[in-house]
Amino acid sequence: MSNKFLNFTKKVATSVWTYLKHARVEFIVIILAVAVDLITKGIIQSTMKVGETVVLIPNFLEFYFTYNTAAAFSFDFGLGQAIGQEGVMVVFIVMTFLSLGLFGFIMYKLKNRRLWARICFALIIGGAIGNLYDRMAFSMVRDFIRIVYFGLEIPNLGSSFAVFNIADACLVIGVIMFIVYVIFLETKDKARIKAKNEVKSSSETAEENSENAVDVTSELQSDIDEKSDNVSDISVQNAGENE
């Protein structure tokens, strides 16, 4: 039992290490997403007061510093009324850890797909980590980007979009990129992988046939050598009898 467990652990560790060497771009994207998110949040937190607004593009884009106790874009799906803000925070932390495991596994399974597909999940994972840090460090998320609807008041939407941050943007961009991948690129990717596997399979079959041919040739040569030795022995024996 212990040997099986050790072999399984060794196999998993080898697979993970091989993948880590293969997935350098994905991890760079994750690190950059987390770094940019936390740095921008830190700058805003240290230079702006809660509720303060800085207009960047009039009637379109502004910084508005606020704390968010819900999910991305301030959505809590009605959980706040049911379990309270602390309960919501615990639920989102647990869900984030589970999501990180799931998306990490999916990114690993897509290791043979094109880089576009893997970067989708790298952005999603980076965004999730950025907001997870805030929830664990501050029990809330720092938001500061607000898009204004050109000074218009839109029914059911108000005058601006929900305040968000870089992590939220990474999550949305990752999801949009994955939708684009599924619609336009996945079929081509699967065909490419299938063709590659067929070529690999053909190569392995040819190599196996070649090895079998070598084995057969070796066996035939051994039989010939053995028969030759037998003939020589018989000849020597006959010569001895004649003498």
Side-chain angles (χ1 to χ4, degrees):
M1 182 67 180
S2 59
N3 290 334
K4 289 183 178 180
F5 178 75
L6 289 174
N7 291 334
F8 174 76
T9 304
K10 184 178 179 180
K11 184 178 179 181
V12 171
T14 302
S15 299
V16 170
W17 177 246
T18 302
Y19 173 68
L20 290 176
K21 292 189 293 184
H22 173 74
R24 287 180 296 225
V25 175
E26 295 93 300
F27 283 99
I28 290 173
V29 171
I30 291 172
I31 292 170
L32 286 176
V34 174
V36 172
D37 176 62
L38 296 182
I39 290 171
T40 53
K41 287 174 178 175
I43 292 173
I44 293 296
Q45 188 178 30
S46 62
T47 58
M48 294 179 64
K49 297 178 181 179
V50 176
E52 182 179 352
T53 301
V54 175
V55 177
L56 301 178
I57 302 176
N59 292 324
F60 178 66
L61 181 64
E62 58 190 28
F63 286 163
Y64 172 76
F65 183 38
T66 184
Y67 286 106
N68 170 25
T69 57
F73 305 108
S74 302
F75 297 136
D76 67 358
F77 309 101
L79 293 174
Q81 296 179 350
I83 59 177
Q85 294 303 326
E86 291 185 0
V88 170
M89 195 56 54
V90 171
V91 168
F92 284 145
I93 289 174
V94 172
M95 288 177 61
T96 301
F97 274 112
L98 294 175
S99 298
L100 286 173
L102 174 62
F103 293 136
F105 176 74
I106 294 175
M107 191 171 70
Y108 170 76
K109 296 297 288 184
L110 294 176
K111 61 182 181 295
N112 294 323
R113 301 291 181 90
R114 66 181 67 210
L115 186 60
W116 179 286
R118 305 197 304 271
I119 287 179
C120 299
F121 287 95
L123 286 169
I124 293 172
I125 291 171
I129 292 174
N131 282 340
L132 176 64
Y133 173 85
D134 271 29
R135 290 192 176 98
M136 297 186 69
F138 306 107
S139 296
M140 57 188 71
V141 176
R142 295 166 290 179
D143 287 338
F144 60 91
I145 303 173
R146 182 163 67 181
I147 296 176
V148 180
Y149 301 137
F150 304 102
L152 302 175
E153 188 76 24
I154 300 177
N156 300 321
L157 295 177
S159 60
S160 64
F161 188 69
V163 185
F164 60 98
N165 55 41
I166 299 298
D168 298 332
C170 288
L171 288 166
V172 172
I173 292 172
V175 170
I176 293 174
M177 286 180 63
F178 185 67
I179 292 173
V180 171
Y181 171 77
V182 171
I183 295 174
F184 299 104
L185 302 174
E186 187 177 25
T187 302
K188 296 179 181 179
D189 230 9
K190 288 182 177 180
R192 176 182 61 83
I193 293 172
K194 182 179 179 181
K196 183 178 179 181
N197 290 335
E198 288 176 352
V199 171
K200 183 179 178 181
S201 178
S202 299
S203 176
E204 290 176 349
T205 302
E207 184 177 351
E208 184 179 351
N209 291 336
S210 177
E211 291 176 354
N212 291 336
V214 170
D215 293 338
V216 171
T217 303
S218 299
E219 290 177 1
L220 290 174
Q221 185 63 45
S222 297
D223 291 341
I224 293 172
D225 292 340
E226 184 179 351
K227 291 178 179 179
S228 177
D229 291 339
N230 291 337
V231 170
S232 298
D233 292 341
I234 292 172
S235 299
V236 171
Q237 185 178 358
N238 290 336
E241 291 177 355
N242 291 331
E243 290 178 358

